Amino acid sequence: METERRRIVVRPYRAGDRDEVLALAPRLTEGVAAWREAGAVAEAVVGWVTGSLERAARGDAGVFVAECDGRVAGFVTVTVRAHFTGQLDGYIGELAVAPDATGRGAGRALVAAAEGWARDRGLENVVLETGAANRQALGFYRALGYVAEEVRLRRPVGAPGPAVREPLG
């Protein structure tokens, strides 16, 4: 028996969505480098999301939710960020989709909402960051036409133990 594909609706965030949005925050810990302390990462992502919700309440950011069957199935946050050149870009700070909504178009629809938010403000680009180890997110963004613009490199110094070697590129 074929399962009916449930409709996903993207709409602006409402204060009543807060608990469901925060419940999705742990999805943002996926793909974080293994050498980062997991507890600190989990605490940081809740802080990011909470900060984005506060900025949106002041009108300084946009937050959109994907709703399916009366529940929040994902969310995206977007704000304005200055590039080092001074050019202003739309910046996707967080995008998280519930595991059972992954692959059903919620992520694409949320990114489209964030891009629309940026376009409505006269911005020419939307930028975002994701972990280098988050292969699923990297593939998702590539499929949407996003390309790498800058690369942040890391090398541990001063800590005893073997160096972690991964090829560049």
Side-chain angles (χ1 to χ4, degrees):
M1 182 167 136
E2 188 174 321
T3 308
E4 179 184 331
R5 187 174 175 100
R6 293 184 179 104
R7 186 166 169 232
I8 293 175
V9 176
V10 173
R11 60 168 175 76
Y13 167 85
R14 297 187 291 248
D17 299 326
R18 183 181 176 86
D19 290 344
E20 288 180 277
V21 165
L22 289 174
L24 290 171
R27 296 279 293 175
L28 299 169
T29 67
E30 296 174 15
V32 173
W35 56 82
R36 298 296 180 186
E37 199 275 307
V41 170
E43 186 176 325
V45 299
V46 170
W48 298 339
V49 174
T50 301
S52 290
L53 298 179
E54 290 168 359
R55 282 187 293 283
R58 292 191 309 264
D60 298 334
V63 179
F64 299 92
V65 299
E67 190 176 72
C68 183
D69 294 335
R71 69 174 182 85
V72 173
F75 73 95
V76 66
T77 68
V78 60
T79 190
V80 177
R81 179 186 266 189
H83 185 263
F84 68 81
T85 62
Q87 182 178 8
L88 298 179
D89 297 321
Y91 175 71
I92 293 176
E94 298 89 28
L95 170 67
V97 175
D100 64 342
T102 300
R104 296 182 39 213
R108 285 179 179 272
L110 288 164
V111 169
E115 290 171 347
W117 185 93
R119 192 177 310 105
D120 290 347
R121 282 152 183 78
L123 304 172
E124 295 180 21
N125 297 293
V126 171
V127 299
L128 58 90
E129 299 164 1
T130 192
N134 194 342
R135 303 286 182 219
Q136 183 176 1
L138 290 169
F140 169 75
Y141 291 120
R142 273 191 211 104
L144 293 179
Y146 283 76
V147 296
E149 178 179 17
E150 298 168 14
V151 177
R152 184 172 76 191
L153 304 175
R154 168 208 172 261
R155 178 173 185 253
V157 295
V164 176
R165 299 247 184 237
E166 292 184 22
L168 293 176

